[in-house]
Amino acid sequence: MSQSAPALSTNAFLDDVLIGLGGQPKSLPCKYFYDERGSELFAQICELAAYYPTRTELEIMQCHSGEMAALIGPRARLVELGSGNSSKTRVLLDRLVRLEAYVPVDISSEYLTRAASALARDYPHVPVLPVSADYSRPFDLPRLLRAARTVVYFPGSTIGNLVPSEARRFLKVVARLAGPGGGLLIGVDLKKDPRILNVAYNDPEGVTAAFNLNLLVRINRELGGDFDIGRFRHEAFYDETHGRIEMQLVSTARQIVRVARTSHAFDQGESITTEYSYKYGLGEFERLAAQAGFVLRRAWTDEKSLFSVQYYAVDPSAPAGLR
Ligand code: AVI
């Protein structure tokens, strides 16, 4: 509960934090996990034995990249959203024929520049045209004269961090970006035994806990907050009703926290929701994508059906408003 008037701010991070802490229940947007330390911790999560999505998606890519490349076809413009270090993309780039351009889009220009120059060195025949942008907002693509089609690549099941209504809206924007004849190659985490999910977000090494708590460290550093990190603990659980992992930071004491001249009272056991990670059934995600103007061409999964990579075409018969 916010006990004093929020400070005036021109800072989106501060605005979002004050709105989230003022809500009931309290929440914080997961996009703010990724400062430098948060990105490092996320990279460590991807290497954990318990966190199956990254290695399983890579395995699917390695097994089926030939088919994926055939569906994408020659002379495409491949646009990767949230490209990070573009590691999974290399598997595709090894297979794609006469790619007109690879356009990595990432909010972190530092990551982007590093990844783009490494790719340009390793794939000298592929024009790499990085775009530094927050892909959740409208942005322009570099103009190309010859690209046959635009294919958007959105790996990592980042789509799962949006609630389904936001995911649908986001996919509509992607369909518009890809345009007529375009496609979408997307990584989607699947529903499974909740025990596997619960361990993946509660790793014994405590890296996910550190990743979650780092959000409070970031608020303290960047927004002058006074969160006592020792008085919050990480919690993550699978909510079967909503089909999602919910991550929270739980206050272990009754306490008042100050952020930018606002006070926020916590009861003992009160939580801040920091992330949802939705898991889908194959048909369930296909229906969501169809509502955004996509038709499924092919879905690949691993042997245990933990994760999927799916290729969609922009539906030529979808009404313009859907695209
Ligand atoms: C980035 N995103 C898809 C991850 C996920 O699994 O939802 C973020 C994450 N949160 C905790 N561990 C990983």
Side-chain angles (χ1 to χ4, degrees), residues 34 42 45 51 156-158 161 201 208 211 247 275 277:
Y34 304 91
F42 181 62
I45 288 175
Y51 192 74
S157 201
T158 305
N161 296 132
Y201 292 82
T208 309
F211 173 71
M247 278 211 328
E275 186 180 67
S277 191

Side-chain angles (χ1 to χ4, degrees), residues 45-254:
I45 288 175
C46 293
E47 302 284 318
L48 292 170
Y51 192 74
Y52 62 86
T54 313
R55 65 169 178 280
T56 311
E57 184 175 26
L58 188 59
E59 186 188 305
I60 297 171
M61 298 292 298
Q62 282 162 343
C63 283
H64 304 287
S65 57
E67 253 181 289
M68 292 173 190
L71 279 164
I72 292 171
R75 291 186 39 234
R77 165 170 70 172
L78 186 70
V79 178
E80 180 170 357
L81 303 180
S83 49
N85 63 10
S86 303
S87 58
K88 291 166 205 138
T89 325
R90 287 173 175 263
V91 179
L92 272 182
L93 294 182
D94 288 339
R95 293 290 194 143
L96 285 167
V97 180
R98 282 178 282 125
L99 194 61
E100 285 299 323
Y102 169 59
V103 184
V105 182
D106 205 286
I107 198 164
S108 159
S109 49
E110 195 195 316
Y111 240 88
L112 195 62
T113 316
R114 231 182 297 146
S117 38
L119 282 171
R121 190 190 54 226
D122 297 344
Y123 298 88
H125 56 289
V126 176
V128 180
L129 309 173
V131 172
S132 172
D134 173 356
Y135 62 78
S136 65
R137 310 220 165 116
F139 64 92
D140 289 324
L141 286 176
R143 284 183 192 283
L144 289 179
L145 290 177
R146 292 186 314 162
R149 72 183 65 76
T150 298
V151 173
V152 174
Y153 180 41
F154 194 41
S157 201
T158 305
I159 193 74
N161 296 132
L162 301 175
V163 301
S165 57
E166 288 167 353
R168 194 178 302 115
R169 216 173 310 132
F170 175 72
L171 290 174
K172 283 182 189 174
V173 174
V174 170
R176 225 170 289 133
L177 189 71
L184 167 67
L185 185 67
I186 187 167
V188 181
D189 199 7
L190 298 176
K191 288 202 160 107
K192 59 184 63 66
D193 183 338
R195 283 172 300 187
I196 299 177
L197 289 165
N198 284 322
V199 175
Y201 292 82
N202 289 286
D203 57 284
E205 294 89 341
V207 185
T208 309
F211 173 71
N212 198 6
L213 286 160
N214 180 60
L215 185 49
L216 303 184
V217 177
R218 181 177 187 186
I219 293 173
N220 285 352
R221 188 185 58 246
E222 293 184 23
L223 306 178
D226 70 352
F227 278 101
D228 180 346
I229 310 303
R231 296 215 284 179
F232 284 86
R233 66 175 169 77
H234 161 78
E235 194 164 299
F237 55 89
Y238 184 62
D239 168 353
E240 222 153 344
T241 310
H242 292 97
R244 67 189 182 201
I245 283 283
E246 179 165 344
M247 278 211 328
Q248 301 180 340
L249 290 165
V250 182
S251 174
T252 58
R254 200 175 151 82

Side-chain angles (χ1 to χ4, degrees), residues 267-285:
D267 283 330
Q268 183 173 12
E270 188 176 349
S271 59
I272 311 172
T273 299
T274 51
E275 186 180 67
Y276 293 132
S277 191
Y278 279 81
K279 311 302 168 188
Y280 287 95
L282 282 174
E284 191 183 10
F285 192 80

